C-alpha cells in the first residue's frame, strides 16, 4: 500500500510538470500591483508571439525590432486579458485595422517612438475600455481635416514630438471624454479655437513650443483656455506693445573734461603750449623677423612644391641608375669585361654561340684578340689567331664545339 501511494504521487507530479507553462527566457515574469506582468525588453524580438503565457495582464515589449502588427495578432494567440500594453521604441510602421481585436480589457496603450505616419481613425474601435493612448515621437507630419481618432472612453492622448505642422478643425471631433491633451514640441505656429471647442471635458493641455506666433488668434485660444479653467502653461507671457505708445529715450548728460588733466601738455615761460611727444618705442625688426612677417601662406605652398619636385627628380635619377641596365650607367662592367682572362673569354664565346648559334664572334672580343696578337694580318679572322703557347693545329669551328644543354 505504501509503494502504491508513492507511485500515485509520482504520476501526478509528472502529469503536472508536462502541462506546466514557463516564462520565456527573453522575459521576466512577476506580479505588479496584483497583475501578471511579463517584461521583454531589448531582446531583438520581431513578433508579439514569443511564448508568454496567455494569462498575462501587463505586457511590455519595449526596445525591440517589431515592425508590423498584423490583423488579429493578439486574438489568435489568446491574449485577451491584457490591460497594459507597451510597444514603445520599436520599428512599427504599419498596424492592421483589427490588430488590437480581442483586447477588450486594454486600458493603457503605449506606441510611442515608432515610425507611424498614418493610422485609421477607427483603429482602436476594438478596444472599448481604452483610456490612455501614447502616440508621441511618431511622424504624423500632415493630418487631414477629419477625426484623428474615434473613441468614446479615451481620456489621455499624447501627441508630443510628432512633427505636426498644422491642426485641422475636425481633428478632435470624435473624442468627447478626452481630459488631457499634449501637443508640445511640434511644428505648429498657430492654433484655431475651433480645434479645441469639441473637447468639452478637457482638464489639461500642453502646448510647449518655440514656434508659436502670438497673434490675435492664438491669444484668443489662450483666453478661452483660461476662461474654461483648463490647466495650461501660458506661452505668450510678454505684453504686446500698444500702437499709441511713444518710445522715450533718455540721454545722459556729459560733463566737461579738463584737457590739462587728460592730455600731456606743458607750457614754457612764454605760456606757449608744448605738446609732449611720447618716445618712439618701435623696435627695429631683424631680417628673420621681417621675413617671417612678410612671408605668406601662398609663398610657403610654392616653395614646398618646388622642394618636393626637386627631391622627386633626384630620387628618380638614383633609382634609374641603380635599377636600369642602360649603357651610360655600366662603365665599371666594361672595365671588368676588358680585363677577362683567356679562359673566361673563351667560355663567354662558347656560351654566346649556344645562345645565338647563327652569330659570329662578337666584334668586341675580336678587337681584344687583335690587340693581344700584334702578328695578326689583314684578312685573317680573329677566331683563327693562335697563341704562341698553343699547338699549331687551329681550334675547330665554334659550331662544332657547341654545348648541348
Amino acid at each position: 500500500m505504501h509503494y502504491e501511494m508513492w507511485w500515485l504521487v509520482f504520476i501526478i507530479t509528472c502529469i503536472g510538470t508536462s502541462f506546466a507553462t514557463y516564462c520565456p527566457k527573453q522575459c521576466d515574469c512577476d506580479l505588479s500591483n496584483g497583475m501578471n506582468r511579463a517584461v521583454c525588453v531589448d531582446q531583438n524580438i520581431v513578433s508579439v508571439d514569443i511564448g508568454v503565457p496567455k494569462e498575462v495582464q501587463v505586457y511590455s515589449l519595449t526596445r525591440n525590432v517589431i515592425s508590423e502588427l498584423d490583423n488579429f495578432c493578439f486574438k489568435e494567440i489568446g491574449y485577451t486579458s491584457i490591460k497594459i500594453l507597451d510597444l514603445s521604441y520599436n520599428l512599427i510602421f504599419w498596424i492592421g485595422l483589427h490588430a488590437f481585436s480581442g483586447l477588450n480589457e486594454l486600458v493603457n496603450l503605449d506606441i510611442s517612438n515608432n515610425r507611424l505616419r498614418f493610422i485609421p481613425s477607427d483603429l482602436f474601435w476594438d478596444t472599448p475600455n481604452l483610456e490612455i493612448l501614447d502616440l508621441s515621437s511618431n511622424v504624423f507630419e500632415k493630418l487631414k481635416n477629419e477625426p484623428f481618432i474615434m473613441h468614446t472612453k479615451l481620456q489621455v492622448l499624447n501627441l508630443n514630438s510628432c512633427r505636426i505642422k498644422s491642426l485641422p478643425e475636425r481633428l478632435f471631433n470624435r473624442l468627447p471624454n478626452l481630459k488631457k491633451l499634449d501637443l508640445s514640441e511640434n511644428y505648429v505656429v498657430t492654433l484655431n479655437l475651433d480645434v479645441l471647442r469639441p473637447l468639452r471635458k478637457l482638464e489639461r493641455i500642453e502646448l510647449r513650443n518655440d514656434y508659436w506666433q502670438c497673434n490675435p488668434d492664438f491669444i484668443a485660444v489662450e483666453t478661452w483656455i483660461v476662461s474654461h479653467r483648463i490647466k495650461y502653461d501660458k506661452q505668450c507671457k510678454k505684453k504686446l506693445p500698444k500702437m499709441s505708445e511713444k518710445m522715450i529715450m533718455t540721454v545722459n548728460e556729459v560733463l566737461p573734461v579738463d584737457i590739462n588733466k587728460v592730455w600731456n601738455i606743458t607750457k614754457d615761460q612764454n605760456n606757449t603750449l608744448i605738446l609732449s611727444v611720447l618716445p618712439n618705442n618701435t623696435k627695429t625688426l631683424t631680417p628673420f623677423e621681417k621675413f617671417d612677417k612678410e612671408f605668406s601662406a601662398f609663398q610657403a605652398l610654392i616653395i614646398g612644391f618646388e622642394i618636393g619636385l626637386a627631391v622627386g627628380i633626384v630620387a628618380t635619377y638614383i633609382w634609374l641608375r641603380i635599377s636600369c641596365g642602360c649603357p651610360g650607367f655600366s662603365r665599371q662592367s666594361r672595365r671588368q669585361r676588358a680585363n677577362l682572362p683567356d679562359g673566361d673569354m673563351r667560355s663567354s664565346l662558347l656560351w654566346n654561340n649556344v645562345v645565338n648559334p647563327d652569330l659570329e664572334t662578337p666584334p668586341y672580343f675580336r678587337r681584344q684578340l687583335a690587340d693581344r696578337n700584334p702578328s695578326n694580318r689583314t684578312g685573317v679572322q680573329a677566331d683563327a689567331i693562335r697563341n704562341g703557347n698553343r699547338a699549331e693545329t687551329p681550334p675547330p669551328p665554334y659550331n662544332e664545339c657547341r654545348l648541348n644543354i
Side-chain angles (χ1 to χ4, degrees), residues 158-174:
N158 189 355
L159 293 174
N160 191 328
S161 301
C162 288
R163 304 182 186 181
I164 300 174
K165 298 179 181 179
S166 63
L167 297 173
E169 296 179 0
R170 301 176 56 196
L171 195 63
F172 305 121
N173 282 358
R174 304 296 295 274

Side-chain angles (χ1 to χ4, degrees), residues 22 29 60 307:
Y22 297 94
C29 300
S60 177
I307 293 174

Side-chain angles (χ1 to χ4, degrees), residues 112-382:
S112 62
N113 292 277
N114 280 280
R115 299 180 180 181
L116 292 172
R117 291 182 176 271
F118 170 79
I119 57 173
S121 57
D122 53 349
L123 176 62
F124 306 103
W125 196 258
D126 295 329
T127 57
N129 294 314
L130 184 63
E131 296 180 357
I132 302 173
L133 177 60
D134 191 350
L135 294 172
S136 60
S137 298
N138 281 283
V139 197
F140 302 117
E141 294 182 353
K142 297 181 180 180
L143 298 177
K144 298 180 180 180
N145 191 13
E146 59 184 21
F148 181 63
I149 295 173
M150 294 188 296
H151 206 283
T152 56
K153 289 190 178 181
L154 187 64
Q155 298 181 8
V156 179
L157 176 60
N158 189 355
L159 293 174
N160 191 328
S161 301
C162 288
R163 304 182 186 181
I164 300 174
K165 298 179 181 179
S166 63
L167 297 173
E169 296 179 0
R170 301 176 56 196
L171 195 63
F172 305 121
N173 282 358
R174 304 296 295 274
L175 295 173
N177 292 310
L178 191 65
K179 296 181 179 180
K180 183 177 179 181
L181 176 63
D182 191 350
L183 296 172
S184 304
E185 306 302 332
N186 284 290
Y187 299 153
V188 185
V189 296
T190 186
L191 181 62
N192 194 343
L193 185 57
D194 295 333
V195 178
L196 302 180
R197 278 176 178 169
L199 304 177
R200 298 182 180 181
K201 294 186 179 181
L202 191 63
E203 298 177 358
R204 175 80 182 178
I205 185 171
E206 299 289 344
L207 296 175
R208 296 184 307 274
N209 192 353
D210 296 332
Y211 304 100
W212 290 119
Q213 296 179 358
C214 294
N215 50 25
D217 292 337
F218 189 75
I219 294 175
V221 171
E222 287 191 329
T223 305
W224 182 86
I225 292 174
V226 174
S227 63
H228 285 72
R229 298 180 181 180
I230 300 173
K231 295 181 181 179
Y232 165 70
D233 296 332
K234 195 172 183 180
Q235 300 298 312
C236 295
K237 296 180 180 179
K238 295 182 180 180
K239 182 180 178 181
L240 294 176
K242 296 181 180 179
M243 299 300 295
S244 60
E245 287 187 12
K246 295 182 179 180
M247 303 295 292
I248 301 175
M249 182 175 63
T250 59
V251 180
N252 296 326
E253 185 178 358
V254 181
L255 298 176
V257 179
D258 189 2
I259 296 297
N260 295 324
K261 295 180 180 180
V262 179
W263 290 1
N264 292 326
I265 298 176
T266 58
K267 295 182 179 181
D268 58 358
Q269 296 178 356
N270 298 327
N271 201 17
T272 304
L273 294 177
I274 300 174
L275 214 62
S276 60
V277 182
L278 295 176
N280 189 10
N281 294 327
T282 57
K283 183 180 178 181
T284 305
L285 297 177
T286 61
F288 178 77
E289 292 176 346
K290 186 176 180 181
F291 173 77
D292 184 47
K293 183 178 180 181
E294 298 177 354
F295 194 69
S296 63
F298 180 74
Q299 292 175 344
L301 178 64
I302 297 299
I303 292 175
F305 177 75
E306 293 177 352
I307 293 174
L309 185 62
V311 172
I313 292 173
V314 173
T316 305
Y317 174 78
I318 295 174
W319 176 75
L320 289 174
R321 186 178 180 85
I322 294 174
S323 62
C324 183
C326 300
F329 297 107
S330 59
R331 295 179 180 177
Q332 186 176 0
S333 62
R334 288 184 178 180
R335 294 174 183 175
Q336 293 178 356
R337 193 183 300 171
N339 297 327
L340 289 175
D342 294 339
D344 294 340
M345 187 182 301
R346 188 175 181 82
S347 299
S348 298
L349 290 172
L350 291 174
W351 179 252
N352 187 43
N353 194 20
V354 171
V355 176
N356 299 314
D358 297 332
L359 296 179
E360 297 181 354
T361 302
Y364 177 76
F365 290 105
R366 290 181 183 176
R367 287 195 298 272
Q368 285 188 347
L369 292 173
D371 294 339
R372 293 184 183 181
N373 296 278
S375 59
N376 187 17
R377 299 291 187 269
T378 305
V380 180
Q381 296 293 334

